């Protein structure tokens, strides 16, 4: 009875746990199915005008709405589906009230739609407006709103940490802050793969990608998207871009339709892989995208022999349909995945239809994009030839779609399907279409911009040493700058504006790195840097110097006198001549940098310097982002307070750094191999334990698995890494079978059927890792035998796991270690002199009342001499050593006081000897 009761208790507890764990799943699945039902019901009540309006994502100018603002008419009379906010459209303001202004603008847009629906006396249903924006990190120009928001890192900076926890937490911060503003649609993140190094003439996405390895881009993308959904309380539609991937495009797709020249298999394994990673799950999964932004790009492997007349995937119904029918995307699309066209008013689209860019028919372009399969049509700078303005073209396009809806049943059916997907997505964000549920709480604004500690944590883990290798760094840069050395900072300055009428704001200021160094190590803190021995100059100044242009600048003499040249560089661009100033300095003016320490910090992508440039640089670090926290970390690296522990997520040709090699198996590892046996619960401890040791005979099948195979970063190799299981059997021990298997979570599995008697030997390789444990099994006799392992090793513990949710941990700002200041200069000598004579004055004042004038002067002179002598001797003997006595202010004071005390002791000894001598003389 007792046993039965205990069993029933266990069953009851287990059922309760299952119910608790599965409740969120059932709740989410129920909400999904309810959203579809609500969308279908609402669709049946909408007019053709309301349906067509939902298909468009528009832009407008200005940060304040007036009753006559055209955008209000588009919302209330044209029922457009959403708007996209941009800094280039002056939708945001600068200053302390930037967040309040942005939140107020969003609220005004939603309220306009609500008020109009209420005035219809229930005839028209209120439908929330998509309020979209792009916020890619790294401040301007990739963040549309950079006043008041947390200065989050770029995607490449996150990729350089190789830490999915930090990616998720960064997404969570962004989701929370966008939700506080009322933004409910994010055009991002980018899931492009930069698998090939950037070269001239190709598109350069810079730091707007997670990296160049498809698996890791997918891993970081999943974590970031999960964070966005959680942080926004699932009230943010996440639209991944730039589908199907434009990392290998041969040109900037904003300017001209580009081409990716790869075979279809390559496209699936590289470009499409990250998008598949965030669409294969159900639409209710937190790591699943809500939509895809379809890029204007041709795919040679998908569309055959492309030419100038071949339409991009975004406008090609056959190409886009074939992609959506792939196993990776079919289920996602079927469950409501939304396709959003890239901007249909871009220069690339205009030149596609007319190379001169003069003839443009917005109505036909929008129709082509819609019939290609896009649900939401993003239209910006969308002005047809002959139309006076954007709103005229948009109005005529809407009328054209409404007419087609009424006249063409097939077109109407396509509209209904797209609108149903759009409404389903809106119901997922807001189960109840009411203004109260849509408007953001003003209290949430207080938390916006308060997550800089996370950015600092990312910066610490992202900072990477690109050149030289860590083993050679101590030779190239054995110490930090000394106070006696001059430092020149060269900065590729970036100035931006939040709006056209807003004041200039430095994104990367002329003296940003200099100020960080002085704040952390200047005379107000550790005294390791003297402000008068530092100076900052811009790349623009350096370019004028190299071009021999006369200017009022001290850059040339400053460089001549400098011991250290510290460079803050950004991306190199053919449109900015000054961006190549560093490479020109290294090649054209070797006289200015000879015998100097050259330290370069790349606050953009790391691949712009070539191998020759790197040979002339003492140390080259990549930071990947211009946010203040990254500048702070660069200063700490320069003064060797922090190490650079990150690793570039993209290839750097100049340094011979290949991302393919980095994620390949580390050769210096012994791959573990074992039987793939199920675990059973130990009756004694309740923890998983192996089953009894199994035995095998001829005819049985061996289930096998490897341990976690690590890459060169000591992380699990990407999923799909090929592992070969090698089997030898029989009496001649020849290799009789080889089984290839792909890894999942760093582990590969295989099964082997024993067909012949003899000794079976099993090992694995995954080039370039060619060493593994060896399993042996002797099945020579009739009795079953157990497997034994040769060369046993401890299992290698991976550095990350693929846990679905990782709890954020508070970021800790490192406390600066006590830093040193050289005290051998003129100022320090003067301080020693003053302290010595101060001691002499004190000694004389104490001696005068009790002893003769002669002894008072003698003691004072001896204490002063002792102090100066002690300071001078230590400086001469240990001048080349960085000790506490020679490198700190406290050391100087201690030396003087000790020397003065020794001098005073000698004076007392002298006096006592003189007294004794006098007594003897008198006697």
């Amino acid at each position: 009875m007792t046993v039965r009761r205990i069993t029933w208790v266990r069953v009851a507890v287990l059922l309760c746990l299952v119910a608790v764990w599965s409740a969120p799943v059932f709740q989410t699945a129920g909400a999904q199915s309810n959203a579809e039902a609500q969308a279908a019901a609402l669709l049946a009540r909408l007019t053709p005008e309301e349906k067509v309006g939902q298909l468009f994502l528009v832009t407008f100018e200005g940060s304040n709405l007036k009753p006559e603002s055209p955008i209000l008419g588009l919302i209330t009379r044209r029922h457009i589906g959403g708007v996209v906010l941009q800094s280039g459209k002056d939708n945001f303001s600068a200053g302390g009230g930037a967040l309040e202004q942005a939140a107020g603008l969003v609220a005004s847009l939603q309220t306009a739609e609500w008020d109009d629906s209420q005035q219809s006396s229930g005839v028209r249903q209120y439908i929330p407006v998509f309020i979209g924006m792009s916020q890619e990190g790294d401040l301007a120009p990739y963040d549309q709103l950079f006043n008041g928001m947390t200065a989050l890192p770029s995607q490449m900076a996150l990729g350089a940490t190789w830490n999915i926890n930090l990616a998720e937490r960064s997404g969570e911060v962004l989701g929370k802050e966008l939700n506080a503003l009322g933004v409910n649609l994010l055009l991002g993140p980018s899931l492009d793969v930069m698998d090939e190094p950037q070269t001239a003439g190709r598109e350069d996405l810079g730091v707007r990608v997670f990296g160049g390895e498809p698996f890791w881009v997918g891993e970081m993308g999943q974590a970031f998207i999960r964070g966005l959904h959680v942080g926004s309380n699932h009230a943010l539609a996440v639209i991944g871009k730039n589908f199907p991937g434009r990392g290998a495009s041969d040109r900037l797709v904003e300017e001209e339709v580009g081409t990716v020249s790869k075979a279809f298999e390559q496209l699936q394994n590289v470009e499409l892989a990250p998008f598949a990673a965030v669409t294969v799950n159900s639409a209710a999964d937190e790591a699943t995208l809500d939509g895809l932004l379809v890029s204007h790009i041709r795919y040679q492997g998908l569309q055959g022999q492309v030419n100038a007349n071949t339409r991009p995937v975004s406008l090609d119904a056959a190409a886009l349909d074939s992609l959506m029918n792939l196993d990776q995307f079919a289920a996602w699309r079927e469950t409501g995945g939304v396709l959003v066209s890239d901007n249909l008013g871009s220069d690339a689209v205009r030149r596609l239809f007319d190379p001169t860019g003069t003839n443009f028919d917005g109505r036909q372009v929008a129709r082509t994009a819609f019939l290609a399969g896009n649900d939401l049509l993003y239209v910006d700078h969308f002005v047809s030839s002959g139309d006076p303005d954007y709103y005229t073209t948009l109005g005529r396009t809407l009328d054209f779609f409404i007419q087609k809806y009424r006249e063409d049943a097939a077109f109407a059916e396509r509209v209904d399907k797209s609108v149903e997907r759009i409404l389903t997505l809106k119901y997922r964000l807001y189960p109840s279409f009411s203004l109260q549920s849509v408007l953001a709480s003003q209290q949430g604004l207080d938390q916006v911009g308060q997550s800089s500690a996370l950015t600092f944590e990312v910066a610490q883990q992202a900072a990477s040493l690109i050149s030289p290798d860590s083993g050679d760094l101590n030779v190239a840069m054995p110490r930090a700058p000394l106070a006696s050395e001059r430092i020149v900072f060269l900065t590729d300055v970036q100035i931006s504006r939040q709006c056209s009428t807003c004041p200039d704001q430095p994104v990367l200021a002329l003296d940003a790195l200099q100020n960080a160094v002085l704040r952390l190590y200047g005379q107000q803190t550790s005294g390791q840097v003297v402000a008068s021995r530092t100076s900052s100059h811009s790349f623009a100044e350096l370019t004028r110097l190299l071009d021999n242009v006369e200017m009022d600048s001290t850059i040339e003499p400053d460089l001549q006198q400098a011991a250290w040249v510290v460079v803050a560089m950004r991306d190199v661009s053919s449109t900015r001549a000054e961006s190549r100033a560093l490479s020109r300095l290294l090649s054209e003016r070797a006289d200015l940098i000879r015998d100097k320490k050259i330290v370069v910090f790349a606050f953009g992508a790391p691949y712009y310097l070539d191998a020759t440039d790197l040979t002339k640089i003492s140390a080259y670090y990549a930071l990947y982002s211009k946010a203040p926290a990254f500048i702070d970390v660069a200063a700490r690296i320069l003064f060797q307070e922090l190490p650079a522990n990150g690793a570039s997520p993209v290839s750097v040709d100049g340094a011979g750094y290949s991302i393919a090699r980095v994620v390949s198996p580390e050769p210096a590892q012994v791959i573990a191999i074992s039987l793939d046996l199920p675990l059973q619960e130990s009756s004694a401890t309740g923890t998983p334990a192996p089953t009894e040791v199994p035995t095998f005979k001829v005819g049985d099948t061996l289930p096998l698995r490897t341990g976690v195979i690590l890459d060169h970063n000591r992380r699990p190799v990407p999923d799909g890494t090929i592992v070969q299981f090698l089997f030898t059997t029989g009496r001649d021990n020849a290799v009789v079978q080889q089984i290839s298997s792909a890894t999942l979570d760093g582990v590969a599995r295989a099964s082997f059927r024993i067909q012949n008697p003899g000794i079976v030997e099993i090992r694995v390789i995954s080039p370039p890792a060619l060493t593994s444990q060896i399993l042996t099994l002797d099945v020579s006799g009739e009795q079953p035998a157990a497997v034994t392992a040769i060369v046993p090793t401890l299992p290698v513990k991976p550095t990350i796991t693929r846990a679905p949710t990782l709890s954020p941990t508070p970021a800790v700002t490192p406390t600066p270690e006590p830093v040193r200041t050289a005290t051998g200069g003129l100022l320090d000598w003067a301080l020693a002199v003053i302290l010595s004579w101060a001691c002499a004055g004190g000694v004389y004042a104490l001696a005068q009342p009790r002893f003769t004038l002669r002894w008072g002067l003698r003691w004072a002179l001896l204490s002063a001499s002792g102090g100066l002598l002690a300071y001078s001797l230590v400086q001469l003997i240990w001048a080349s050593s960085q000790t506490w006595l020679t490198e700190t202010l406290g050391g100087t004071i201690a030396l003087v006081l000790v020397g003065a005390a020794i001098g005073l002791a000698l004076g007392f000894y002298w006096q006592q000897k003189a007294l004794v001598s006098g007594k003897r003389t008198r006697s």
Side-chain angles (χ1 to χ4, degrees), residues 799-815:
T799 57
I800 68 164
T801 60
R802 298 180 72 184
T805 304
L806 297 171
S807 301
T809 55
V812 179
T813 301
T815 303

Side-chain angles (χ1 to χ4, degrees), residues 666-680:
E666 164 61 54
Q669 67 179 309
V670 177
I671 302 174
I673 180 174
S674 63
L675 294 174
D676 192 11
L677 300 176
L679 297 178
Q680 63 180 7

Side-chain angles (χ1 to χ4, degrees), residues 569-775:
M569 67 177 291
R570 297 190 285 131
D571 292 349
V572 175
S573 170
S574 59
T575 61
R576 294 192 308 114
E578 66 272 16
S579 67
R580 301 198 59 83
L582 174 60
S583 293
R584 291 188 58 193
L585 172 66
L586 296 174
S587 61
E588 298 175 21
R589 291 297 304 270
D591 60 300
L592 293 178
I593 58 175
R594 188 176 296 115
D595 299 327
K596 304 181 191 302
K597 298 294 184 185
I598 313 295
V599 182
V600 179
F601 294 101
F603 293 101
Y607 42 67
Y608 296 107
L609 299 180
D610 60 30
T612 302
D613 291 334
L614 295 182
T615 62
K616 304 171 185 178
I617 292 173
S618 305
Y620 178 40
Y621 295 93
L623 277 298
Y624 314 99
S625 186
K626 309 179 294 293
F630 288 83
I631 296 170
D632 184 282
V633 166
R636 295 175 189 270
I637 289 174
L638 176 64
F639 282 84
Q640 300 183 1
E641 179 185 336
L642 289 178
N645 290 327
S648 174
V650 294
S651 296
V652 183
D653 275 359
Y657 179 91
S658 167
I659 193 63
R661 175 186 172 276
V662 169
V663 300
S664 67
E666 164 61 54
Q669 67 179 309
V670 177
I671 302 174
I673 180 174
S674 63
L675 294 174
D676 192 11
L677 300 176
L679 297 178
Q680 63 180 7
E681 185 177 306
S682 170
S683 58
T685 63
T687 59
T691 59
E692 294 182 2
V693 177
T695 58
F696 301 90
K697 62 182 184 301
V698 175
D700 289 344
T701 297
L702 291 173
L704 301 165
R705 60 164 288 165
T706 68
V708 176
I709 302 174
L710 302 180
D711 65 13
H712 286 69
N713 283 331
R714 308 301 296 174
R715 297 177 176 88
V717 293
D719 287 357
T721 299
I722 299 301
V723 178
Q724 295 171 343
F725 289 77
L726 306 178
F727 304 89
T728 61
T729 188
R731 291 179 173 80
D732 56 356
N733 281 334
V735 175
V736 296
Q737 190 170 349
Q738 176 175 307
I739 299 177
S740 294
S741 176
T743 59
L744 179 64
D745 295 334
V747 175
R749 288 176 166 83
S751 296
F752 174 71
R753 187 172 184 272
I754 307 170
Q755 296 178 340
N756 302 307
I759 297 176
V760 180
E761 185 177 281
I762 309 162
R763 59 190 177 90
V764 296
I765 61 172
S766 183
L770 303 177
T771 306
S772 77
Q773 290 182 322
I774 301 174
L775 300 184

